[in-house]
Amino acid sequence: MSESPVPHESPIYRRIADRLRARILSGELRDGDRLPGENALMAEYGIARATARQALAVLINEGLAVPRRGSGVYVRLFKPIRRHGSRRLAREQWGQGRSIWDADTHGRPFSVDEVEVTRERASEEVAGILESREVWVRRRRYSVDTRPVQLATSYFPAHLVDGSAITLVDTGPGGVYARLSDLGLSPVHFTEEVRARMPAPRECELLDLPGGTPVIVIERTAYTAAGRPIEVNEMVLDSAAYVLQYDFDA
Amino acid sequence: MSESPVPHESPIYRRIADRLRARILSGELRDGDRLPGENALMAEYGIARATARQALAVLINEGLAVPRRGSGVYVRLFKPIRRHGSRRLAREQWGQGRSIWDADTHGRPFSVDEVEVTRERASEEVAGILESREVWVRRRRYSVDTRPVQLATSYFPAHLVDGSAITLVDTGPGGVYARLSDLGLSPVHFTEEVRARMPAPRECELLDLPGGTPVIVIERTAYTAAGRPIEVNEMVLDSAAYVLQYDFDA
């Protein structure tokens, strides 16, 4: 339900936002176009600067526009990534050498950067889940259509993956799940915990988030058939770029 | 991952926030207690008003405290609700006359208010999903431990539920899912779409959200065994009050 019903007497900033939104969604204003500025809105509608700013803020918060310092507010259309909780982790995916990430992007160009692989002492929380004081940590950032959309940090029990390609930047076809499988540690059961919060300054910077954009935080634990926790993955997602989908039966 | 390490030379407002937090978490300050005000902090630490305000803002942003207009800042301890995506909708739940809500709250006191049941013309989107121009709409607000945590709006194809208890405020034991079952329309398959965004003003008001708190929006569609979409439920959750959990297999 993209839109909640607007009461007839909605405030003026909201009605202005509605008109600008309609111009974006109809295609009249396109990706990268500059929206009317505060001065133009003040003149057109006879409103105060604060009201013009509120109208633009609505579109920024909806992820439809992005402010550029000292330059104005620009249309930012981005087809949300539909992240399908269960289907993407199906064994057919990584078992055939495809990365899990392919399942999310459906052929859209994506890239991984800021990759960092280290062996570290685990936090209390991660040590508790993985039953291991030492962990291999894989940090990376994913971008889609050149836009950074997700930071991910995976933790593995060090003694179980030492010497494997999981400790290398390039993990080879199928990624870390295929490598866990090579080690007889196939992940077969998953738990995802989903939260939302405002981003930390460092997350704002790495995800290039405009003000007022929350992040979705997913903490996934992967288990082997024997029930051993084999990976914890903490993902921080730009909420304007994602829809998470989960399917299940009664 | 719960807490980032505080550098030794952390700013004064952060150290004050650390002390106040410790007093809350140790139980010295309890739920509903008033925190020291700006004036008290200024006198105690010899700091400026802006610094005192920053210290209190840290705790407000962490969800540990809540400002009340013109009265001060109060401790707000609240154990997050763990909402288990699949287990809560298991047939054993509503099939035995228990409400789905019981599964979330594990015996914590909860209440439902602002209940509104109307027959309406559906929005384009809902009409498209439910294959029906006319819908019954159930709006309500859930509170746990007296705190409002969720707004929910359910839509049902009007011609399928006209005359049933689904159109009444009190739907009887097991709630709407038990009544759908009575009609031979048991929901057996579910899709949930999860998003996060900043709240609209009306949502802030109904959920009593402090500034800077995002909402999680869940749009669930329920299907019968024959694959007929029978309900769309849009839920708006206070993100500080919820952890969503989803379990699935590879």
Side-chain angles (χ1 to χ4, degrees), chain A residues 22-151:
Chain A
R23 290 175 64 192
I24 295 172
L25 297 180
S26 72
E28 181 196 334
L29 287 167
R30 312 223 274 186
D31 203 7
D33 281 357
R34 191 175 180 286
L35 287 175
E38 293 174 10
N39 291 332
L41 292 175
M42 288 162 69
E44 185 177 350
Y45 293 98
I47 53 175
R49 183 171 302 278
T51 309
R53 199 170 290 161
Q54 268 186 301
L56 293 169
V58 168
L59 300 173
I60 292 168
N61 285 337
E62 290 174 352
L64 286 174
V66 62
R68 296 197 193 134
R69 205 181 301 272
S71 155
V73 176
Y74 291 79
V75 176
R76 179 168 80 162
L77 285 176
F78 183 85
K79 192 170 166 291
I81 301 165
R82 181 167 292 264
R83 178 186 183 278
H84 193 292
S86 39
R87 200 179 305 152
R88 64 197 294 277
L89 290 172
R91 174 185 281 273
E92 304 87 70
Q93 192 63 24
W94 49 265
Q96 293 177 10
R98 287 195 293 263
S99 87
I100 289 163
W101 195 251
D102 287 333
D104 289 340
T105 55
H106 298 288
R108 291 161 79 181
F110 72 92
S111 61
V112 187
D113 69 354
E114 308 263 343
V115 182
E116 205 188 283
V117 187
T118 55
R119 199 182 198 278
E120 296 176 14
R121 192 161 176 78
S123 71
E124 285 288 329
E125 187 189 350
V126 169
I129 299 173
L130 291 180
E131 303 161 20
S132 179
R133 297 264 13 137
E134 294 283 321
V135 286
W136 276 95
V137 186
R138 302 183 58 87
R139 295 185 173 82
R140 65 273 188 205
R141 176 174 68 173
Y142 294 98
S143 299
V144 170
D145 298 346
T146 75
R147 168 175 165 169
V149 293
Q150 178 183 144
L151 308 175

Side-chain angles (χ1 to χ4, degrees), chain B:
Chain B
M1 12 217 158
S2 45
E3 214 160 332
S4 36
V6 177
H8 292 298
E9 318 242 347
S10 67
I12 177 75
Y13 76 89
R14 200 157 266 287
R15 278 177 282 150
I16 296 171
D18 290 345
R19 288 203 204 165
L20 291 173
R21 188 191 305 104
R23 291 176 62 191
I24 295 172
L25 298 180
S26 72
E28 181 196 334
L29 286 167
R30 312 224 273 186
D31 204 8
D33 282 356
R34 192 175 178 284
L35 286 175
E38 292 173 12
N39 292 331
L41 291 175
M42 289 161 69
E44 184 177 350
Y45 294 98
I47 53 174
R49 183 171 301 278
T51 309
R53 199 169 291 162
Q54 267 185 302
L56 293 169
V58 169
L59 300 172
I60 293 168
N61 285 336
E62 290 175 352
L64 287 175
V66 61
R68 296 197 194 136
R69 205 180 300 274
S71 155
V73 176
Y74 291 79
V75 176
R76 179 168 78 163
L77 284 176
F78 186 83
K79 191 170 167 291
I81 300 164
R82 180 166 292 265
R83 178 186 184 278
H84 193 293
S86 40
R87 199 179 307 151
R88 64 197 294 277
L89 290 171
R91 175 185 280 274
E92 303 87 71
Q93 193 61 24
W94 49 266
Q96 292 177 9
R98 286 195 294 262
S99 88
I100 290 162
W101 195 252
D102 287 332
D104 290 341
T105 54
H106 298 288
R108 289 161 79 180
F110 71 92
S111 61
V112 187
D113 68 353
E114 307 264 342
V115 182
E116 205 188 283
V117 187
T118 55
R119 199 180 197 279
E120 296 177 14
R121 192 161 178 78
S123 71
E124 285 288 328
E125 189 190 350
V126 169
I129 298 173
L130 291 180
E131 303 160 21
S132 179
R133 296 270 8 142
E134 294 283 321
V135 286
W136 275 95
V137 185
R138 300 183 58 86
R139 294 186 175 83
R140 65 275 188 202
R141 176 173 68 173
Y142 293 98
S143 298
V144 170
D145 297 346
T146 76
R147 168 175 164 169
V149 293
Q150 179 183 141
L151 309 175
T153 308
S154 290
Y155 304 85
F156 304 88
H159 64 285
L160 294 181
V161 303
D162 273 334
S164 76
I166 290 168
T167 68
L168 307 177
V169 168
D170 181 359
T171 52
V176 292
Y177 281 13
R179 295 300 79 71
L180 285 173
S181 185
D182 297 344
L183 294 169
L185 298 168
S186 288
V188 300
H189 182 71
F190 302 91
T191 294
E192 292 196 344
E193 289 185 358
V194 180
R195 293 172 176 81
R197 60 167 169 77
M198 297 311 287
R202 175 81 180 141
E203 294 165 341
C204 275
E205 193 185 301
L206 284 170
L207 291 173
D208 196 15
L209 296 174
T213 306
V215 288
I216 297 174
V217 180
I218 305 176
E219 185 177 315
R220 179 175 71 225
T221 307
Y223 300 85
T224 65
R228 203 212 184 284
I230 189 66
E231 180 205 26
V232 170
N233 187 354
E234 187 184 42
M235 293 158 267
V236 178
L237 282 59
D238 174 353
S239 65
Y242 271 97
V243 180
L244 315 185
Q245 181 177 335
Y246 295 96
D247 295 337
F248 45 90
D249 296 317

